[in-house]
């Protein structure tokens, strides 16, 4: 399994916000569905989904959004989600709230891992959209590594110059102000679009 590459969609067990008049859970599921569709379209990678936080009651709702055979499991953290993905050469964990993420950015993270311990896609708000790691994970990587980890923290703790690779950035939908970043002319993100239209 040395050449196996896995992308793990990381979804919170509960929603934290939604546009006015929309259900937080429906919004969370729409974002997760669209981000999953992006990842499922990638070539030469396997896709899994990890649900973080809460109990396992959230798993069936997430599993219903995936294609047959996609592993869906509970995890306690991003690194736990990576560990539960099984034997692999590299794993990229992706936050659920990037429904219009270009799949090309994930490919860039895998390529960067040929020389780095961690490769990240930063978000415009200072958080991380995606985190790629080689397996086994380098010992210097904090167990608290997550999408809210800032680049400054990674730069401060890395043991050598090229241990962290920073790919092109993107955006996450974490508040109403982020909705303006969606491009209505861009194909995809159909479930998110549907919620925004009130369907």
């Amino acid at each position: 399994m040395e050449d196996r590459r896995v992308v793990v969609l990381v979804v919170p067990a509960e929603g934290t916000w939604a546009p006015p008049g929309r259900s937080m859970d429906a919004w969370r599921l729409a974002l997760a569905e669209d981000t999953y569709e992006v990842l499922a379209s990638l070539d030469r990678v396997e896709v899994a989904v990890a649900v973080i936080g809460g109990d396992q009651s959230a798993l069936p709702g997430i599993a219903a959004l995936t294609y047959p055979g996609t592993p869906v499991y509970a995890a306690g953290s991003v690194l736990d989600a990576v560990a539960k993905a099984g034997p692999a050469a590299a794993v990229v964990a992706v936050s659920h709230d990037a429904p219009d993420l270009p799949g090309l950015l994930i490919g860039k993270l895998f390529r960067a891992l040929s020389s780095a311990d961690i490769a990240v896609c930063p978000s415009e708000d200072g958080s991380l959209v995606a985190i790629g790691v080689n397996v086994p994970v380098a010992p210097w990587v904090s167990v608290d590594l997550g999408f809210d980890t800032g680049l400054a923290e990674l730069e401060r703790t890395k043991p050598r110059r090229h241990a962290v690779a920073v790919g092109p950035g993107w955006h996450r939908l974490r508040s109403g102000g982020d909705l303006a970043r969606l491009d209505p002319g861009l194909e995809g993100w159909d479930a998110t679009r549907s919620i925004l239209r009130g369907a």
Side-chain angles (χ1 to χ4, degrees):
M1 305 295 276
E2 292 182 357
D3 59 348
R4 181 172 179 251
R5 302 191 302 175
V6 182
V7 180
V8 179
L9 174 65
V10 179
V11 185
E14 298 179 353
T16 57
W17 80 282
R22 276 67 170 185
S23 156
M24 283 198 297
D25 198 51
W27 179 244
R28 174 185 68 100
L29 291 175
L31 295 176
E33 180 178 357
D34 287 339
T35 308
Y36 171 80
E37 290 291 340
V38 170
L39 304 181
S41 69
L42 298 175
D43 294 329
R44 296 187 296 277
V45 300
E46 297 179 32
V47 181
V49 181
V51 179
I52 291 184
D55 55 36
Q56 295 189 8
S57 63
L59 295 180
I62 297 297
L65 306 177
T66 67
Y67 297 123
T70 299
V72 179
Y73 52 84
S77 66
V78 170
L79 286 187
D80 186 37
V82 167
K84 289 182 175 179
V91 178
V92 172
V94 181
S95 180
H96 81 294
D97 49 10
D100 59 341
L101 178 70
L104 177 66
L105 299 188
I106 302 302
K108 289 181 179 294
L109 297 185
F110 277 116
R111 284 193 293 275
L113 288 172
S114 63
S115 58
D117 295 334
I118 295 180
V120 298
C121 171
S123 173
E124 296 172 355
D125 66 2
S127 64
L128 302 175
V129 179
I131 303 167
V133 293
N134 286 309
V135 180
V137 178
W140 68 270
V141 177
S142 169
V143 295
D144 296 324
L145 177 68
F147 301 115
D148 290 330
T149 302
L151 282 178
E153 180 179 344
L154 290 175
E155 291 294 332
R156 185 176 64 252
T157 57
K158 68 182 182 182
R160 62 184 193 284
R161 181 179 176 187
H162 298 296
V164 178
V166 181
W170 197 245
H171 50 256
R172 296 169 62 191
L173 302 186
R174 305 180 75 190
S175 70
D178 296 328
L179 297 177
R181 294 185 170 95
L182 291 169
D183 181 356
L186 187 68
E187 292 185 4
W189 56 280
D190 293 336
T192 302
R193 200 186 311 258
S194 179
I195 293 285
L196 290 175
R197 289 175 176 166

